[in-house]
mmCIF file of all heavy atoms in Angstrom:
data_model
loop_
_atom_site.group_PDB
_atom_site.id
_atom_site.type_symbol
_atom_site.label_atom_id
_atom_site.label_comp_id
_atom_site.label_asym_id
_atom_site.label_seq_id
_atom_site.Cartn_x
_atom_site.Cartn_y
_atom_site.Cartn_z
ATOM 1 N N ALA A 1351 20.204 21.648 -17.441
ATOM 2 C CA ALA A 1351 21.335 20.776 -17.772
ATOM 3 C C ALA A 1351 21.419 19.614 -16.797
ATOM 4 O O ALA A 1351 21.664 18.461 -17.195
ATOM 5 C CB ALA A 1351 22.628 21.579 -17.761
ATOM 6 N N GLY A 1352 21.194 19.889 -15.498
ATOM 7 C CA GLY A 1352 21.228 18.824 -14.499
ATOM 8 C C GLY A 1352 20.131 17.800 -14.719
ATOM 9 O O GLY A 1352 20.352 16.593 -14.571
ATOM 10 N N ALA A 1353 18.937 18.273 -15.091
ATOM 11 C CA ALA A 1353 17.822 17.351 -15.343
ATOM 12 C C ALA A 1353 18.104 16.475 -16.556
ATOM 13 O O ALA A 1353 17.863 15.253 -16.544
ATOM 14 C CB ALA A 1353 16.534 18.152 -15.546
ATOM 15 N N LEU A 1354 18.627 17.071 -17.633
ATOM 16 C CA LEU A 1354 18.955 16.287 -18.830
ATOM 17 C C LEU A 1354 20.056 15.271 -18.533
ATOM 18 O O LEU A 1354 20.031 14.150 -19.064
ATOM 19 C CB LEU A 1354 19.387 17.220 -19.956
ATOM 20 C CG LEU A 1354 18.270 18.082 -20.565
ATOM 21 C CD1 LEU A 1354 18.862 19.154 -21.477
ATOM 22 C CD2 LEU A 1354 17.279 17.210 -21.337
ATOM 23 N N LEU A 1355 21.008 15.666 -17.697
ATOM 24 C CA LEU A 1355 22.079 14.743 -17.323
ATOM 25 C C LEU A 1355 21.509 13.533 -16.594
ATOM 26 O O LEU A 1355 21.895 12.383 -16.875
ATOM 27 C CB LEU A 1355 23.100 15.461 -16.457
ATOM 28 C CG LEU A 1355 24.229 14.608 -15.863
ATOM 29 C CD1 LEU A 1355 25.048 13.951 -16.970
ATOM 30 C CD2 LEU A 1355 25.141 15.453 -14.975
ATOM 31 N N GLU A 1356 20.595 13.759 -15.650
ATOM 32 C CA GLU A 1356 19.993 12.641 -14.919
ATOM 33 C C GLU A 1356 19.184 11.747 -15.846
ATOM 34 O O GLU A 1356 19.184 10.517 -15.701
ATOM 35 C CB GLU A 1356 19.104 13.176 -13.792
ATOM 36 C CG GLU A 1356 19.848 13.875 -12.672
ATOM 37 C CD GLU A 1356 20.820 12.951 -11.951
ATOM 38 O OE1 GLU A 1356 20.655 11.721 -12.022
ATOM 39 O OE2 GLU A 1356 21.753 13.471 -11.318
ATOM 40 N N LEU A 1357 18.505 12.347 -16.803
ATOM 41 C CA LEU A 1357 17.726 11.547 -17.761
ATOM 42 C C LEU A 1357 18.634 10.716 -18.663
ATOM 43 O O LEU A 1357 18.282 9.599 -19.062
ATOM 44 C CB LEU A 1357 16.849 12.461 -18.622
ATOM 45 C CG LEU A 1357 15.666 13.140 -17.928
ATOM 46 C CD1 LEU A 1357 15.064 14.209 -18.825
ATOM 47 C CD2 LEU A 1357 14.606 12.111 -17.535
ATOM 48 N N ALA A 1358 19.813 11.254 -19.005
ATOM 49 C CA ALA A 1358 20.698 10.585 -19.957
ATOM 50 C C ALA A 1358 21.510 9.466 -19.328
ATOM 51 O O ALA A 1358 21.887 8.510 -20.023
ATOM 52 C CB ALA A 1358 21.644 11.611 -20.582
ATOM 53 N N ARG A 1359 21.785 9.540 -18.046
ATOM 54 C CA ARG A 1359 22.686 8.566 -17.410
ATOM 55 C C ARG A 1359 22.136 7.152 -17.533
ATOM 56 O O ARG A 1359 21.072 6.830 -17.021
ATOM 57 C CB ARG A 1359 22.870 8.923 -15.941
ATOM 58 C CG ARG A 1359 23.918 9.991 -15.722
ATOM 59 C CD ARG A 1359 24.060 10.360 -14.276
ATOM 60 N NE ARG A 1359 25.227 11.210 -14.049
ATOM 61 C CZ ARG A 1359 25.365 12.016 -13.020
ATOM 62 N NH1 ARG A 1359 24.417 12.082 -12.090
ATOM 63 N NH2 ARG A 1359 26.449 12.756 -12.899
ATOM 64 N N GLY A 1360 22.894 6.314 -18.229
ATOM 65 C CA GLY A 1360 22.542 4.909 -18.328
ATOM 66 C C GLY A 1360 21.284 4.615 -19.102
ATOM 67 O O GLY A 1360 20.732 3.517 -18.977
ATOM 68 N N ALA A 1361 20.825 5.545 -19.909
ATOM 69 C CA ALA A 1361 19.565 5.344 -20.645
ATOM 70 C C ALA A 1361 19.772 5.713 -22.111
ATOM 71 O O ALA A 1361 19.667 6.892 -22.485
ATOM 72 C CB ALA A 1361 18.444 6.177 -20.021
ATOM 73 N N HIS A 1362 20.045 4.729 -22.930
ATOM 74 C CA HIS A 1362 20.329 4.967 -24.345
ATOM 75 C C HIS A 1362 19.165 5.679 -25.032
ATOM 76 O O HIS A 1362 19.368 6.649 -25.777
ATOM 77 C CB HIS A 1362 20.609 3.632 -25.040
ATOM 78 C CG HIS A 1362 20.685 3.735 -26.533
ATOM 79 N ND1 HIS A 1362 21.806 4.179 -27.192
ATOM 80 C CD2 HIS A 1362 19.764 3.467 -27.498
ATOM 81 C CE1 HIS A 1362 21.593 4.167 -28.495
ATOM 82 N NE2 HIS A 1362 20.352 3.747 -28.708
ATOM 83 N N ARG A 1363 17.957 5.226 -24.783
ATOM 84 C CA ARG A 1363 16.797 5.811 -25.455
ATOM 85 C C ARG A 1363 16.640 7.286 -25.096
ATOM 86 O O ARG A 1363 16.299 8.112 -25.947
ATOM 87 C CB ARG A 1363 15.542 5.025 -25.090
ATOM 88 C CG ARG A 1363 14.309 5.431 -25.883
ATOM 89 C CD ARG A 1363 13.129 4.528 -25.547
ATOM 90 N NE ARG A 1363 11.963 4.867 -26.335
ATOM 91 C CZ ARG A 1363 11.742 4.463 -27.571
ATOM 92 N NH1 ARG A 1363 12.642 3.687 -28.181
ATOM 93 N NH2 ARG A 1363 10.645 4.814 -28.224
ATOM 94 N N ASN A 1364 16.904 7.615 -23.835
ATOM 95 C CA ASN A 1364 16.789 9.013 -23.418
ATOM 96 C C ASN A 1364 17.838 9.884 -24.089
ATOM 97 O O ASN A 1364 17.579 11.040 -24.433
ATOM 98 C CB ASN A 1364 16.917 9.121 -21.896
ATOM 99 C CG ASN A 1364 15.682 8.591 -21.176
ATOM 100 O OD1 ASN A 1364 14.736 8.113 -21.807
ATOM 101 N ND2 ASN A 1364 15.693 8.671 -19.859
ATOM 102 N N LYS A 1365 19.037 9.340 -24.280
ATOM 103 C CA LYS A 1365 20.078 10.098 -24.984
ATOM 104 C C LYS A 1365 19.637 10.409 -26.409
ATOM 105 O O LYS A 1365 19.861 11.524 -26.910
ATOM 106 C CB LYS A 1365 21.385 9.311 -24.997
ATOM 107 C CG LYS A 1365 22.000 9.100 -23.617
ATOM 108 C CD LYS A 1365 23.206 8.180 -23.698
ATOM 109 C CE LYS A 1365 23.701 7.822 -22.309
ATOM 110 N NZ LYS A 1365 24.827 6.871 -22.335
ATOM 111 N N VAL A 1366 19.033 9.436 -27.044
ATOM 112 C CA VAL A 1366 18.534 9.648 -28.406
ATOM 113 C C VAL A 1366 17.465 10.735 -28.403
ATOM 114 O O VAL A 1366 17.453 11.625 -29.269
ATOM 115 C CB VAL A 1366 17.983 8.334 -28.985
ATOM 116 C CG1 VAL A 1366 17.288 8.589 -30.325
ATOM 117 C CG2 VAL A 1366 19.101 7.310 -29.152
ATOM 118 N N HIS A 1367 16.544 10.697 -27.419
ATOM 119 C CA HIS A 1367 15.510 11.731 -27.303
ATOM 120 C C HIS A 1367 16.142 13.117 -27.186
ATOM 121 O O HIS A 1367 15.680 14.086 -27.800
ATOM 122 C CB HIS A 1367 14.637 11.471 -26.069
ATOM 123 C CG HIS A 1367 13.569 10.450 -26.282
ATOM 124 N ND1 HIS A 1367 12.618 10.551 -27.279
ATOM 125 C CD2 HIS A 1367 13.282 9.305 -25.610
ATOM 126 C CE1 HIS A 1367 11.797 9.515 -27.224
ATOM 127 N NE2 HIS A 1367 12.190 8.736 -26.209
ATOM 128 N N ILE A 1368 17.198 13.227 -26.385
ATOM 129 C CA ILE A 1368 17.831 14.520 -26.143
ATOM 130 C C ILE A 1368 18.480 15.046 -27.417
ATOM 131 O O ILE A 1368 18.359 16.240 -27.745
ATOM 132 C CB ILE A 1368 18.867 14.397 -25.008
ATOM 133 C CG1 ILE A 1368 18.147 14.112 -23.670
ATOM 134 C CG2 ILE A 1368 19.708 15.651 -24.893
ATOM 135 C CD1 ILE A 1368 19.084 13.728 -22.540
ATOM 136 N N VAL A 1369 19.164 14.180 -28.175
ATOM 137 C CA VAL A 1369 19.784 14.610 -29.430
ATOM 138 C C VAL A 1369 18.709 14.994 -30.436
ATOM 139 O O VAL A 1369 18.822 16.021 -31.134
ATOM 140 C CB VAL A 1369 20.688 13.499 -29.996
ATOM 141 C CG1 VAL A 1369 21.201 13.873 -31.382
ATOM 142 C CG2 VAL A 1369 21.852 13.240 -29.059
ATOM 143 N N GLN A 1370 17.668 14.210 -30.515
ATOM 144 C CA GLN A 1370 16.599 14.494 -31.468
ATOM 145 C C GLN A 1370 15.837 15.772 -31.114
ATOM 146 O O GLN A 1370 15.239 16.399 -31.987
ATOM 147 C CB GLN A 1370 15.638 13.308 -31.545
ATOM 148 C CG GLN A 1370 16.253 12.092 -32.207
ATOM 149 C CD GLN A 1370 15.341 10.878 -32.205
ATOM 150 O OE1 GLN A 1370 14.418 10.782 -31.395
ATOM 151 N NE2 GLN A 1370 15.588 9.947 -33.107
ATOM 152 N N ALA A 1371 15.881 16.162 -29.838
ATOM 153 C CA ALA A 1371 15.239 17.420 -29.423
ATOM 154 C C ALA A 1371 16.080 18.639 -29.782
ATOM 155 O O ALA A 1371 15.642 19.777 -29.555
ATOM 156 C CB ALA A 1371 14.969 17.398 -27.923
ATOM 157 N N GLY A 1372 17.306 18.415 -30.335
ATOM 158 C CA GLY A 1372 18.109 19.528 -30.840
ATOM 159 C C GLY A 1372 19.203 20.014 -29.926
ATOM 160 O O GLY A 1372 19.685 21.151 -30.086
ATOM 161 N N LEU A 1373 19.675 19.168 -28.992
ATOM 162 C CA LEU A 1373 20.732 19.612 -28.074
ATOM 163 C C LEU A 1373 21.975 20.076 -28.822
ATOM 164 O O LEU A 1373 22.521 21.151 -28.547
ATOM 165 C CB LEU A 1373 21.098 18.491 -27.102
ATOM 166 C CG LEU A 1373 22.340 18.764 -26.235
ATOM 167 C CD1 LEU A 1373 22.080 19.917 -25.284
ATOM 168 C CD2 LEU A 1373 22.769 17.517 -25.473
ATOM 169 N N LEU A 1374 22.458 19.267 -29.767
ATOM 170 C CA LEU A 1374 23.713 19.601 -30.454
ATOM 171 C C LEU A 1374 23.584 20.880 -31.277
ATOM 172 O O LEU A 1374 24.557 21.619 -31.435
ATOM 173 C CB LEU A 1374 24.148 18.440 -31.343
ATOM 174 C CG LEU A 1374 24.390 17.101 -30.628
ATOM 175 C CD1 LEU A 1374 24.956 16.069 -31.601
ATOM 176 C CD2 LEU A 1374 25.324 17.269 -29.438
ATOM 177 N N LYS A 1375 22.405 21.154 -31.793
ATOM 178 C CA LYS A 1375 22.189 22.372 -32.573
ATOM 179 C C LYS A 1375 22.159 23.615 -31.688
ATOM 180 O O LYS A 1375 22.308 24.735 -32.175
ATOM 181 C CB LYS A 1375 20.897 22.264 -33.379
ATOM 182 C CG LYS A 1375 20.929 21.130 -34.409
ATOM 183 C CD LYS A 1375 19.715 21.133 -35.281
ATOM 184 C CE LYS A 1375 19.725 19.940 -36.239
ATOM 185 N NZ LYS A 1375 20.912 19.948 -37.115
ATOM 186 N N LYS A 1376 21.966 23.415 -30.381
ATOM 187 C CA LYS A 1376 21.983 24.540 -29.445
ATOM 188 C C LYS A 1376 23.411 24.909 -29.027
ATOM 189 O O LYS A 1376 23.627 26.002 -28.493
ATOM 190 C CB LYS A 1376 21.197 24.174 -28.179
ATOM 191 C CG LYS A 1376 19.722 23.866 -28.400
ATOM 192 C CD LYS A 1376 18.915 25.118 -28.640
ATOM 193 C CE LYS A 1376 17.429 24.793 -28.714
ATOM 194 N NZ LYS A 1376 16.627 25.987 -29.062
ATOM 195 N N LEU A 1377 24.361 24.019 -29.246
ATOM 196 C CA LEU A 1377 25.717 24.244 -28.730
ATOM 197 C C LEU A 1377 26.378 25.517 -29.252
ATOM 198 O O LEU A 1377 27.066 26.205 -28.489
ATOM 199 C CB LEU A 1377 26.595 23.021 -29.029
ATOM 200 C CG LEU A 1377 26.218 21.745 -28.270
ATOM 201 C CD1 LEU A 1377 27.164 20.605 -28.655
ATOM 202 C CD2 LEU A 1377 26.247 21.969 -26.769
ATOM 203 N N PRO A 1378 26.213 25.887 -30.540
ATOM 204 C CA PRO A 1378 26.826 27.159 -30.978
ATOM 205 C C PRO A 1378 26.335 28.361 -30.177
ATOM 206 O O PRO A 1378 27.082 29.326 -29.984
ATOM 207 C CB PRO A 1378 26.407 27.251 -32.447
ATOM 208 C CG PRO A 1378 26.214 25.834 -32.875
ATOM 209 C CD PRO A 1378 25.629 25.143 -31.676
ATOM 210 N N LEU A 1379 25.084 28.310 -29.705
ATOM 211 C CA LEU A 1379 24.543 29.408 -28.912
ATOM 212 C C LEU A 1379 25.149 29.444 -27.514
ATOM 213 O O LEU A 1379 25.111 30.478 -26.841
ATOM 214 C CB LEU A 1379 23.019 29.284 -28.802
ATOM 215 C CG LEU A 1379 22.243 29.276 -30.133
ATOM 216 C CD1 LEU A 1379 20.756 29.026 -29.878
ATOM 217 C CD2 LEU A 1379 22.443 30.590 -30.873
ATOM 218 N N LEU A 1380 25.696 28.311 -27.079
ATOM 219 C CA LEU A 1380 26.228 28.211 -25.718
ATOM 220 C C LEU A 1380 27.739 28.460 -25.644
ATOM 221 O O LEU A 1380 28.284 28.611 -24.553
ATOM 222 C CB LEU A 1380 25.933 26.819 -25.142
ATOM 223 C CG LEU A 1380 24.452 26.425 -25.065
ATOM 224 C CD1 LEU A 1380 24.316 24.995 -24.557
ATOM 225 C CD2 LEU A 1380 23.687 27.377 -24.160
ATOM 226 N N MET A 1381 28.422 28.498 -26.787
ATOM 227 C CA MET A 1381 29.883 28.600 -26.776
ATOM 228 C C MET A 1381 30.365 29.896 -26.132
ATOM 229 O O MET A 1381 31.397 29.921 -25.459
ATOM 230 C CB MET A 1381 30.433 28.475 -28.202
ATOM 231 C CG MET A 1381 30.357 27.065 -28.745
ATOM 232 S SD MET A 1381 30.901 26.910 -30.456
ATOM 233 C CE MET A 1381 32.610 27.400 -30.331
ATOM 234 N N ASP A 1382 29.623 30.994 -26.355
ATOM 235 C CA ASP A 1382 30.029 32.279 -25.790
ATOM 236 C C ASP A 1382 29.382 32.558 -24.438
ATOM 237 O O ASP A 1382 29.592 33.638 -23.869
ATOM 238 C CB ASP A 1382 29.676 33.413 -26.763
ATOM 239 C CG ASP A 1382 30.452 33.300 -28.072
ATOM 240 O OD1 ASP A 1382 31.609 32.838 -28.021
ATOM 241 O OD2 ASP A 1382 29.903 33.664 -29.118
ATOM 242 N N ASP A 1383 28.610 31.611 -23.962
ATOM 243 C CA ASP A 1383 27.954 31.760 -22.654
ATOM 244 C C ASP A 1383 28.869 31.170 -21.590
ATOM 245 O O ASP A 1383 28.971 29.947 -21.452
ATOM 246 C CB ASP A 1383 26.604 31.039 -22.682
ATOM 247 C CG ASP A 1383 25.794 31.256 -21.414
ATOM 248 O OD1 ASP A 1383 26.403 31.460 -20.349
ATOM 249 O OD2 ASP A 1383 24.550 31.216 -21.488
ATOM 250 N N LYS A 1384 29.546 32.014 -20.847
ATOM 251 C CA LYS A 1384 30.533 31.538 -19.877
ATOM 252 C C LYS A 1384 29.892 30.669 -18.796
ATOM 253 O O LYS A 1384 30.509 29.713 -18.318
ATOM 254 C CB LYS A 1384 31.252 32.721 -19.228
ATOM 255 C CG LYS A 1384 32.128 33.506 -20.187
ATOM 256 C CD LYS A 1384 33.279 32.656 -20.684
ATOM 257 C CE LYS A 1384 34.196 33.441 -21.618
ATOM 258 N NZ LYS A 1384 34.953 34.464 -20.942
ATOM 259 N N ASP A 1385 28.658 30.996 -18.405
ATOM 260 C CA ASP A 1385 27.998 30.205 -17.359
ATOM 261 C C ASP A 1385 27.779 28.770 -17.810
ATOM 262 O O ASP A 1385 28.051 27.817 -17.075
ATOM 263 C CB ASP A 1385 26.655 30.835 -16.975
ATOM 264 C CG ASP A 1385 26.813 32.169 -16.267
ATOM 265 O OD1 ASP A 1385 27.793 32.305 -15.508
ATOM 266 O OD2 ASP A 1385 25.985 33.068 -16.472
ATOM 267 N N MET A 1386 27.300 28.602 -19.042
ATOM 268 C CA MET A 1386 26.968 27.258 -19.514
ATOM 269 C C MET A 1386 28.190 26.520 -20.070
ATOM 270 O O MET A 1386 28.404 25.349 -19.773
ATOM 271 C CB MET A 1386 25.886 27.336 -20.598
ATOM 272 C CG MET A 1386 24.521 27.732 -20.064
ATOM 273 S SD MET A 1386 23.943 26.630 -18.746
ATOM 274 C CE MET A 1386 23.867 25.065 -19.597
ATOM 275 N N SER A 1387 29.004 27.212 -20.883
ATOM 276 C CA SER A 1387 30.129 26.518 -21.523
ATOM 277 C C SER A 1387 31.187 26.085 -20.518
ATOM 278 O O SER A 1387 31.977 25.187 -20.800
ATOM 279 C CB SER A 1387 30.761 27.412 -22.594
ATOM 280 O OG SER A 1387 31.309 28.574 -22.011
ATOM 281 N N ARG A 1388 31.221 26.706 -19.353
ATOM 282 C CA ARG A 1388 32.196 26.324 -18.329
ATOM 283 C C ARG A 1388 31.586 25.434 -17.254
ATOM 284 O O ARG A 1388 32.255 25.080 -16.288
ATOM 285 C CB ARG A 1388 32.798 27.568 -17.666
ATOM 286 C CG ARG A 1388 33.405 28.590 -18.619
ATOM 287 C CD ARG A 1388 34.539 28.009 -19.439
ATOM 288 N NE ARG A 1388 35.209 29.028 -20.229
ATOM 289 C CZ ARG A 1388 34.951 29.264 -21.506
ATOM 290 N NH1 ARG A 1388 34.037 28.531 -22.150
ATOM 291 N NH2 ARG A 1388 35.603 30.198 -22.177
ATOM 292 N N SER A 1389 30.318 25.059 -17.405
ATOM 293 C CA SER A 1389 29.656 24.279 -16.353
ATOM 294 C C SER A 1389 29.986 22.797 -16.474
ATOM 295 O O SER A 1389 30.021 22.234 -17.579
ATOM 296 C CB SER A 1389 28.134 24.472 -16.415
ATOM 297 O OG SER A 1389 27.577 23.760 -17.504
ATOM 298 N N GLN A 1390 30.218 22.167 -15.356
ATOM 299 C CA GLN A 1390 30.528 20.745 -15.351
ATOM 300 C C GLN A 1390 29.310 19.918 -15.744
ATOM 301 O O GLN A 1390 29.442 18.872 -16.378
ATOM 302 C CB GLN A 1390 31.024 20.319 -13.968
ATOM 303 C CG GLN A 1390 31.531 18.887 -13.927
ATOM 304 C CD GLN A 1390 31.985 18.472 -12.544
ATOM 305 O OE1 GLN A 1390 31.563 19.040 -11.544
ATOM 306 N NE2 GLN A 1390 32.861 17.492 -12.485
ATOM 307 N N GLU A 1391 28.096 20.396 -15.385
ATOM 308 C CA GLU A 1391 26.878 19.645 -15.705
ATOM 309 C C GLU A 1391 26.722 19.480 -17.213
ATOM 310 O O GLU A 1391 26.419 18.379 -17.700
ATOM 311 C CB GLU A 1391 25.639 20.349 -15.132
ATOM 312 C CG GLU A 1391 25.488 20.245 -13.634
ATOM 313 C CD GLU A 1391 26.386 21.232 -12.902
ATOM 314 O OE1 GLU A 1391 27.046 22.080 -13.581
ATOM 315 O OE2 GLU A 1391 26.452 21.152 -11.673
ATOM 316 N N LEU A 1392 26.928 20.562 -17.976
ATOM 317 C CA LEU A 1392 26.805 20.460 -19.432
ATOM 318 C C LEU A 1392 27.912 19.580 -20.006
ATOM 319 O O LEU A 1392 27.668 18.783 -20.921
ATOM 320 C CB LEU A 1392 26.855 21.850 -20.067
ATOM 321 C CG LEU A 1392 26.701 21.891 -21.590
ATOM 322 C CD1 LEU A 1392 25.388 21.257 -22.013
ATOM 323 C CD2 LEU A 1392 26.796 23.324 -22.104
ATOM 324 N N ALA A 1393 29.127 19.698 -19.480
ATOM 325 C CA ALA A 1393 30.229 18.861 -19.965
ATOM 326 C C ALA A 1393 29.931 17.380 -19.714
ATOM 327 O O ALA A 1393 30.177 16.528 -20.570
ATOM 328 C CB ALA A 1393 31.528 19.267 -19.288
ATOM 329 N N LEU A 1394 29.392 17.069 -18.539
ATOM 330 C CA LEU A 1394 29.042 15.678 -18.230
ATOM 331 C C LEU A 1394 27.907 15.191 -19.122
ATOM 332 O O LEU A 1394 27.883 14.011 -19.514
ATOM 333 C CB LEU A 1394 28.651 15.559 -16.754
ATOM 334 C CG LEU A 1394 29.796 15.702 -15.751
ATOM 335 C CD1 LEU A 1394 29.249 15.812 -14.332
ATOM 336 C CD2 LEU A 1394 30.744 14.508 -15.841
ATOM 337 N N LEU A 1395 26.969 16.090 -19.433
ATOM 338 C CA LEU A 1395 25.878 15.716 -20.343
ATOM 339 C C LEU A 1395 26.432 15.373 -21.719
ATOM 340 O O LEU A 1395 26.039 14.362 -22.333
ATOM 341 C CB LEU A 1395 24.873 16.862 -20.431
ATOM 342 C CG LEU A 1395 23.747 16.697 -21.462
ATOM 343 C CD1 LEU A 1395 22.909 15.459 -21.161
ATOM 344 C CD2 LEU A 1395 22.865 17.941 -21.506
ATOM 345 N N LEU A 1396 27.362 16.175 -22.223
ATOM 346 C CA LEU A 1396 27.939 15.900 -23.538
ATOM 347 C C LEU A 1396 28.779 14.629 -23.526
ATOM 348 O O LEU A 1396 28.823 13.897 -24.517
ATOM 349 C CB LEU A 1396 28.787 17.086 -23.993
ATOM 350 C CG LEU A 1396 28.008 18.391 -24.221
ATOM 351 C CD1 LEU A 1396 28.948 19.504 -24.663
ATOM 352 C CD2 LEU A 1396 26.900 18.190 -25.251
ATOM 353 N N LEU A 1397 29.440 14.349 -22.406
ATOM 354 C CA LEU A 1397 30.168 13.086 -22.283
ATOM 355 C C LEU A 1397 29.205 11.909 -22.403
ATOM 356 O O LEU A 1397 29.479 10.933 -23.107
ATOM 357 C CB LEU A 1397 30.889 13.035 -20.936
ATOM 358 C CG LEU A 1397 31.504 11.691 -20.530
ATOM 359 C CD1 LEU A 1397 32.531 11.232 -21.568
ATOM 360 C CD2 LEU A 1397 32.141 11.784 -19.157
ATOM 361 N N SER A 1398 28.058 12.022 -21.725
ATOM 362 C CA SER A 1398 27.060 10.954 -21.794
ATOM 363 C C SER A 1398 26.510 10.807 -23.206
ATOM 364 O O SER A 1398 26.395 9.689 -23.735
ATOM 365 C CB SER A 1398 25.919 11.251 -20.810
ATOM 366 O OG SER A 1398 24.968 10.216 -20.817
#
Side-chain angles (χ1 to χ4, degrees):
L1354 290 169
L1355 174 60
E1356 293 298 339
L1357 290 169
R1359 277 178 170 157
H1362 170 80
R1363 188 175 182 82
N1364 288 2
K1365 295 174 188 177
V1366 172
H1367 279 304
I1368 293 170
V1369 173
Q1370 290 176 339
L1373 171 66
L1374 301 186
K1375 297 186 184 301
K1376 298 285 186 185
L1377 292 180
L1379 301 175
L1380 301 177
M1381 287 176 63
D1382 296 327
D1383 186 331
K1384 293 295 182 70
D1385 292 325
M1386 289 304 299
S1387 63
R1388 306 300 187 263
S1389 75
Q1390 187 181 23
E1391 287 79 6
L1392 181 58
L1394 289 170
L1395 173 60
L1396 296 180
L1397 170 59
S1398 182

